[in-house]
Amino acid sequence: MSYDEYARELSAALGAAGRSVWAKHDWDSGGWLPLWRHMGDSAGTAAYLWDEWLAPQVRARISEALPRGEADGRRLAVWLAMVHDIGKATPAFACQVEGLAEAMRSQGLKMGSAAQMGKDRSLAPHGMAGQLLLVAWLQDNGWSKRAAQQIGAVVGGHHGVPPSDADLQDALAHRELLYGSASTDAWQRVQRELLDAAASACRIREHLDAWSPVKLPQPSQVLLSALVIVSDWIASNASLYPYFQRTGTAADGRVSRALKQLGLPGRWRPRLPQGSAQDVFAARFSWDEGTRVRPVQEAALAAARAMDEPGMLVIEAPMGEGKTEAALVAAEHMAAVSGAGGCFVALPTMATSNAMFSRLADWAGSLEGIDGSASVFLAHSKAALNDDYTGLPFAGAESADDVERDAAGSRGGGLAAHWWLRGRKKGMLADFAAGTIDQLLFAGLKSRHLALRHLAVAGKVVVIDEAHAYDTYMNTYLDTVLAWLGAYRVPVVVLSATLPARRRRELAEAYCQARRGSPEFDAVEKVQGYPLLTSAVPGGAPQVEAVEASGRRTEVQVEYLDDDPDALARRLETELAGGGCALVVRNTVKRVHATARVLRDRFAGTGVEVSVAHARFVDLDRADKDRELLAAFGPPATVAELGGHRPQNPRIVVASQVAEQSLDIDFDLLVTDLAPVDLVLQRMGRLHRHLRGQGQSERPEGLRTARCLITGADWGQQPPEPDAGSQFVYRRYPLLRAAAALDAHLSAEDGGNTIGGTVVLPDDIDRLVQGAYGPDPIGPSEWQEELGQARESHGIEQAAKADQARAFLLNPPAKPGRSLIGWVNAGVGDTDDSPRGRAQVRNAGESLEVLLLQRRRDGVLTTLSGLGEGRGGIELPTDFAPSEEVGRIAAASAVRLPFPLVAPWVIDRVIDELEQNLLPAWQDKDAHWVAGELLLVLDEDCRTRLAGFDVHYTHQDGLEVTDGH
DNA sequence: AACAAAAAAAAA
Ligand SMILES: [Fe+3]
Ligand SMILES: [Fe+3]
């Protein structure tokens, strides 16, 4: 049956009254669509999506419990798409457009005017009405109410939120909204006629009896919901499915035409990667002759090959062992086994997502089994500012005129961003996506159109990078999402360099939907080894395997240093006497600025350059800073590529945590504040990262041994007292545990000498991480009392975080047969756009981002002067929307306001004052770069006052705020 | 009355 047939069969089966029911209307053009037409469009679209677009593993999941498997799955899906708007065949809906209502009245469907129906109408929105009608119809066909509700809720939820029981009761209590006045049964006859015709057109009549006892698993129900929503959205796109201007408009081939114009990309049909690990990796990543596969990579592919069912693979290995490549190859194999049609890689930040996006696209380009072109998506809020993403060709065509041109243009295949597969809710439906972990965690947040987010991940393999980097709050979401992924049989690859054993166990338990602390998972926590692979398949026994390391090591001499800026300055003077580059990592921006100030004083006129790096810069400056760091301290190839050079004179970079993240930069000497031990290790990774001459002989003589000075605590106390700001950021307990783990490690090394010792990377990573995060006491006995107290209050605090996270947390999958009624109830909706009403997948206090602009002395508004590449000082219009080009610069001039301006007792005043700057002309829809953004306008000296504070911005030091009182 | 980095915000 072709995709165009559904509407024809419907209209043939309906009488004049049934055909008179309308579904869509456009006030501007006066165009409209009858319900039967929208039913046919939606069904045809759903059938096409089932055949050509859904990943095999999604089809399998939907069909799992149905007696005839996928044939039943397709029938059920197409039928639900067809009947999704049956609730429009009610007085409550039909009365809304008087002209169309009048046509229905003349067919005997009596109803009052919209005004006569009054406010009650909102008690029976058409989704909910549809659920009630469908459930009643199924009951008439011999179904139990319970069985009917699991199907009905798909219709009830087609606008994103399945109704609650109470809502359904309220609607039922107003019979006249659904069935008109008690004196007529015309409405019920038409509703039955439409549903009967739909059942015949979808050939489901003969299957209804066999389906009635089925208990649909919730994953199937959610995926059916999502498919109905996607079909409806496509069928409701008026440029694909134009409205009619007259009754009886001929529309032959309308569905096939629309689907051709939509031009969804071809799927990836993954094949098992064949051959040796060496060959597979070399082919996927275009390795040159000399590159050898690493032991972890080889083992990861072997572990994936050993899993004969979809499962979770945890890869723990040090930075620089090719974990990402290992994950992608494992993902390819797992995709072929499970029938995935794509891959999502989740990362902690937008910056790492951007970097991953290019790698993912390269990898996807090398895959076999991609027919036509595949769609790629960069999933985070600032993707539009990323040139790698926006530079991609766009596939498909929004207007019919473009179809021919595009069909010619995209014949070459390859990767493209698809015009329809973009935006917050649809973008993740693309085949290959890289993005922030938030995009994955949203699948665990009760919110509108949640089913779409589930469909987006249910068809893929999911890779979770930097799994150690998430806090208790986010982990609460992650665990719930993993439970759903396990239920969807979505293969998952988890990556980490520093994963606490307890967390490893929790991840595996979550995915397998096992109880916390299930004894089968003891081995996952107790196993020792690094690198380490863990594989888990729901219902099976988890496997663990230690892997040989690849051999690169760095010995780091560790020394404790008092927390005194002057002492630090004196020390650096000595250390850098013979040249060299030092990195000083501070835990707060305040300390970064304070340290930089002292050092600049000290080194003024000596040729020693001091610079800062932190996140309190506008995006464009931050990107420049990162580039400058890479051009000076990156690996030789990168330095050459960026046209930079490693400084000859001594250099000091004072940085916040931005330096511990993804940047591949290398210093001769490291000074760091005491931080949680995984972060200390991460920072140590910036030390002698690249080989510079035999035995590091190209480094200054005194700095050829890697050395790390740890400060940011009063080491004289027992236990050491971490800096107050550090405690605020990281909490006291993890800092004390870090100090204790280091102490235990170093004193074991050299027999009780607590002045310092050696940490070997990567050999000591596992021991330090497990020591710091394990359950056992660690550190000197005199510290234990303090540690015990810190542990207790930390436990309470973390439990509170987990509790907060649960406020909008989705439940794990319920028993099969439980309908989706109330699935996202008490959720956040998406109507509340005020900064405060938004529930989050991250636990953060208030924050405000502003666009930093400048006003010249002559009163003209401009972009910030001094921005690189000629972006600075460009005039901005105030009475109309800025151009595309300048708007983008303004949007990339965002900076987050520091704490003093967003403290709970200040933020309201700050927002009030910033709202004074809003430009009405910039709120227009053609001002999409800047609409809704708060503007902070600086004077010609880059200063301003805000809420009683002095605000100052420099390209050198970023945003500084001082109390102006 | 103290604070990293981090994310995000349109449907049928
Ligand atoms: Fe609808
Ligand atoms: Fe619809």
Side-chain angles (χ1 to χ4, degrees):
Chain A
M1 180 167 175
S2 104
Y3 304 132
D4 293 306
E5 297 296 311
Y6 295 101
R8 187 173 323 161
E9 290 208 14
L10 280 173
S11 82
L14 294 173
R19 284 200 303 275
S20 76
V21 181
W22 67 276
K24 293 194 169 277
H25 174 259
D26 175 32
W27 290 105
D28 292 339
S29 67
W32 69 291
L33 280 184
L35 178 58
W36 62 268
R37 183 55 81 176
H38 184 53
M39 291 169 78
D41 294 343
S42 304
T45 305
Y48 165 82
L49 292 175
W50 181 278
D51 296 339
E52 303 293 337
W53 184 72
L54 283 187
Q57 72 188 24
V58 170
R59 292 198 302 252
R61 214 44 58 244
I62 289 177
S63 313
E64 197 166 59
L66 295 166
R68 300 253 169 130
E70 299 202 8
D72 269 355
R74 186 180 189 277
R75 274 188 286 263
L76 178 56
V78 171
W79 172 59
L80 283 170
M82 183 175 275
V83 300
H84 78 271
D85 268 341
I86 188 63
K88 291 186 173 176
T90 56
F93 180 88
C95 71
Q96 293 178 97
V97 178
E98 187 50 33
L100 298 169
E102 194 48 39
M104 290 173 65
R105 286 189 197 107
S106 69
Q107 298 297 332
L109 296 167
K110 300 298 180 208
M111 64 188 117
S113 67
Q116 286 164 341
M117 303 281 264
K119 278 206 293 289
D120 280 355
R121 240 175 21 82
S122 63
L123 291 173
H126 74 263
M128 195 187 303
Q131 174 166 352
L132 293 167
L133 298 184
L134 185 62
V135 166
W137 183 85
L138 283 165
Q139 287 181 286
D140 287 346
N141 281 278
W143 283 42
S144 71
K145 182 156 185 202
R146 179 204 59 77
Q149 289 290 25
Q150 47 179 351
I151 301 290
V154 171
V155 167
H158 84 266
H159 285 264
V161 181
S164 69
D165 266 321
D167 294 339
L168 291 166
Q169 290 314 316
D170 283 351
L172 265 184
H174 291 76
R175 270 195 99 258
E176 73 287 357
L177 294 174
L178 303 174
Y179 304 118
S181 94
S183 61
T184 172
D185 64 351
W187 284 98
Q188 290 180 69
R189 280 207 316 272
V190 159
Q191 292 158 357
R192 202 174 310 122
E193 186 186 24
L194 283 160
L195 287 171
D196 286 343
S200 305
C202 297
R203 319 280 190 263
I204 61 129
R205 210 171 251 297
E206 54 272 42
H207 299 279
L208 280 175
D209 287 346
W211 290 353
S212 69
V214 168
K215 292 190 154 108
L216 273 183
Q218 285 202 324
S220 314
Q221 300 180 45
V222 178
L223 295 174
L224 281 167
S225 263
L227 181 61
V228 167
I229 292 170
V230 175
S231 305
D232 186 26
W233 285 12
I234 294 172
S236 303
N237 183 313
S239 64
L240 296 176
Y241 289 99
Y243 289 9
F244 297 163
Q245 295 302 325
R246 292 178 304 281
T247 337
T249 305
D252 288 338
R254 162 183 170 92
V255 176
S256 0
R257 214 176 314 116
L259 294 172
K260 184 175 173 217
Q261 186 185 333
L262 173 64
L264 282 179
R267 300 280 339 174
W268 173 40
R269 298 176 207 281
R271 300 178 200 144
L272 293 172
Q274 301 293 333
S276 70
Q278 176 69 37
D279 293 345
V280 172
F281 280 84
R284 283 295 165 270
F285 305 107
S286 323
W287 282 357
D288 50 35
E289 284 290 298
T291 310
R292 301 258 67 92
V293 66
R294 304 257 174 61
V296 191
Q297 298 179 320
E298 197 162 7
L301 178 55
R305 283 174 167 165
M307 276 192 266
D308 39 16
E309 278 179 76
M312 169 192 261
L313 176 63
V314 184
I315 305 176
E316 291 166 73
M319 339 42 183
E321 290 287 285
K323 280 196 298 289
T324 305
E325 293 174 339
L328 293 176
V329 166
E332 182 183 356
H333 181 95
M334 293 160 102
V337 169
S338 70
C343 181
F344 176 60
V345 184
L347 302 112
T349 68
M350 297 196 271
T352 45
S353 305
N354 289 341
M356 179 62 68
F357 179 72
S358 312
R359 295 179 71 181
L360 183 77
D362 286 346
W363 168 73
S366 81
L367 288 170
E368 291 155 32
I370 294 190
D371 57 351
S373 70
S375 54
V376 287
F377 182 66
L378 176 60
H380 64 67
S381 63
K382 293 189 176 176
L385 295 174
N386 179 272
D387 295 330
D388 289 332
Y389 176 58
T390 53
L392 282 172
F394 268 85
E398 185 153 17
S399 77
D401 307 338
D402 296 339
V403 174
E404 288 307 310
R405 179 175 52 71
D406 181 76
S410 67
R411 204 154 286 147
L415 297 176
H418 188 271
W419 71 270
W420 198 82
L421 294 171
R422 50 205 314 249
R424 190 161 62 94
K425 288 177 176 174
K426 295 180 300 185
M428 286 278 290
L429 293 166
D431 305 323
F432 297 98
T436 50
I437 183 93
D438 306 60
Q439 302 295 325
L440 178 64
L441 300 185
F442 284 138
L445 178 71
K446 285 182 179 175
S447 55
R448 243 186 125 186
H449 296 120
L450 183 60
L452 281 188
R453 299 207 179 262
H454 280 226
L455 175 62
V457 291
K460 294 187 171 69
V461 176
V462 173
V463 178
I464 299 165
D465 201 358
E466 312 273 0
H468 53 271
Y470 310 117
D471 62 16
T472 304
Y473 187 95
M474 296 171 83
N475 282 337
T476 306
Y477 277 94
L478 184 54
D479 289 353
T480 293
V481 172
L482 285 173
W484 278 93
L485 292 179
Y488 287 121
R489 299 286 186 271
V490 165
V492 173
V493 184
V494 174
L495 305 179
S496 177
T498 53
L499 190 65
R502 165 56 65 88
R503 190 61 199 135
R504 178 194 307 134
R505 176 192 193 133
E506 290 170 355
L507 289 166
E509 287 173 343
Y511 182 82
C512 295
Q513 288 187 260
R515 201 172 28 78
R516 269 288 152 83
S518 302
E520 315 89 85
F521 290 83
D522 284 349
V524 175
E525 185 174 353
K526 295 220 174 84
V527 63
Q528 305 229 336
Y530 187 76
L532 185 73
L533 298 178
T534 307
S535 34
V537 171
Q543 306 288 319
V544 284
E545 182 199 352
V547 184
E548 177 199 338
S550 77
R552 216 183 63 106
R553 18 189 344 265
T554 308
E555 289 190 16
V556 180
Q557 295 292 330
V558 176
E559 188 183 325
Y560 298 112
L561 184 72
D562 283 340
D563 191 20
D564 169 12
D566 293 310
L568 175 64
R570 283 195 299 276
R571 181 62 184 268
L572 287 174
E573 208 169 17
T574 335
E575 295 286 356
L576 300 180
C581 309
L583 172 66
V584 180
V585 184
R586 294 310 208 187
N587 287 347
T588 65
V589 176
K590 204 186 205 174
R591 282 169 65 82
V592 168
H593 280 141
T595 306
R597 214 167 295 127
V598 171
L599 293 178
R600 281 179 186 144
D601 279 356
R602 184 82 181 191
F603 291 107
T606 64
V608 178
E609 204 187 318
V610 178
S611 63
V612 306
H614 53 71
R616 218 167 282 165
F617 287 97
V618 298
D619 298 321
L620 288 170
D621 278 342
R622 167 77 193 278
D624 283 349
K625 293 267 164 198
D626 284 359
R627 216 171 303 120
E628 282 165 23
L629 284 174
L630 278 171
F633 309 108
T638 310
V639 169
E641 194 181 309
L642 294 172
H645 60 87
R646 198 166 172 90
Q648 302 297 306
N649 289 335
R651 268 294 296 274
I652 303 172
V653 176
V654 187
S656 72
Q657 292 82 341
V658 295
E660 89 199 1
Q661 289 162 10
S662 43
L663 291 179
D664 187 5
I665 47 178
D666 163 340
F667 289 86
D668 303 313
L669 178 71
L670 173 71
V671 180
T672 171
D673 283 349
L674 178 66
V677 85
D678 46 327
L679 300 181
V680 171
L681 291 165
Q682 199 81 39
R683 295 173 189 183
M684 284 180 180
R686 268 64 197 155
L687 205 46
H688 290 208
R689 188 180 178 89
H690 312 131
L691 186 62
R692 300 195 182 270
Q694 271 299 328
Q696 304 289 1
S697 58
E698 287 164 21
R699 296 182 196 273
E701 214 177 314
L703 300 172
R704 288 181 190 159
T705 314
R707 272 182 304 135
C708 170
L709 313 180
I710 305 186
T711 174
D714 180 352
W715 300 108
Q717 298 195 43
Q718 302 287 334
E721 182 63 17
D723 161 71
S726 302
Q727 293 196 45
F728 190 88
V729 171
Y730 294 118
R731 319 317 299 163
R732 182 176 178 78
Y733 185 59
L735 292 172
L736 293 181
R737 286 293 291 206
L742 284 165
D743 181 89
H745 178 78
L746 299 176
S747 47
E749 286 266 319
D750 56 12
N753 170 8
T754 51
I755 305 299
T758 309
V759 168
V760 182
L761 298 177
D763 306 19
D764 293 334
I765 291 178
D766 192 43
R767 182 170 167 206
L768 284 164
V769 169
Q770 304 312 342
Y773 290 101
D776 303 325
I778 190 168
S781 53
E782 316 77 277
W783 298 13
Q784 295 311 314
E785 196 185 328
E786 279 267 354
L787 270 162
Q789 285 168 10
R791 178 192 193 117
E792 195 173 325
S793 47
H794 190 69
I796 294 168
E797 208 176 86
Q798 295 307 302
K801 295 280 180 210
D803 262 356
Q804 285 172 35
R806 277 180 211 114
F808 298 109
L809 185 67
L810 186 67
N811 290 322
K815 289 202 309 279
R818 243 320 252 294
S819 84
L820 295 180
I821 291 176
W823 191 50
V824 297
N825 266 108
V828 294
D830 64 357
T831 46
D832 189 350
D833 271 352
S834 81
R836 303 209 174 167
R838 269 180 240 128
Q840 301 295 356
V841 293
R842 293 193 191 229
N843 176 239
E846 304 275 0
S847 81
L848 275 185
E849 206 173 50
V850 297
L851 304 187
L852 217 51
L853 303 175
Q854 219 172 338
R855 194 175 300 284
R856 275 196 325 231
R857 198 175 299 273
D858 62 6
V860 173
L861 191 67
T862 69
T863 60
L864 209 55
S865 61
L867 287 174
E869 294 174 32
R871 296 189 180 100
I874 303 177
E875 295 189 8
L876 290 158
T878 51
D879 40 13
F880 53 93
S883 71
E884 188 68 14
E885 194 193 344
V886 187
R888 195 168 185 234
I889 297 173
S893 300
V895 65
R896 195 153 306 175
L897 295 180
F899 177 77
L901 291 173
V902 296
W905 54 94
V906 191
I907 189 163
D908 288 324
R909 188 171 159 201
V910 169
I911 293 175
D912 277 354
E913 290 186 20
L914 288 172
E915 282 176 346
Q916 307 298 314
N917 293 340
L918 283 182
L919 299 168
W922 285 25
Q923 308 314 314
D924 208 78
K925 74 171 181 327
D926 53 332
H928 65 105
W929 287 112
V930 292
E933 301 296 332
L934 293 171
L935 310 179
L936 179 55
V937 182
L938 305 177
D939 63 20
E940 62 275 12
D941 298 322
C942 280
R943 294 179 183 279
T944 191
R945 278 180 70 82
L946 183 57
F949 289 85
D950 288 323
V951 177
H952 183 42
Y953 187 84
T954 60
H955 298 291
Q956 177 179 277
D957 288 333
L959 192 68
E960 289 180 90
V961 171
T962 45
D963 198 328
H965 298 298

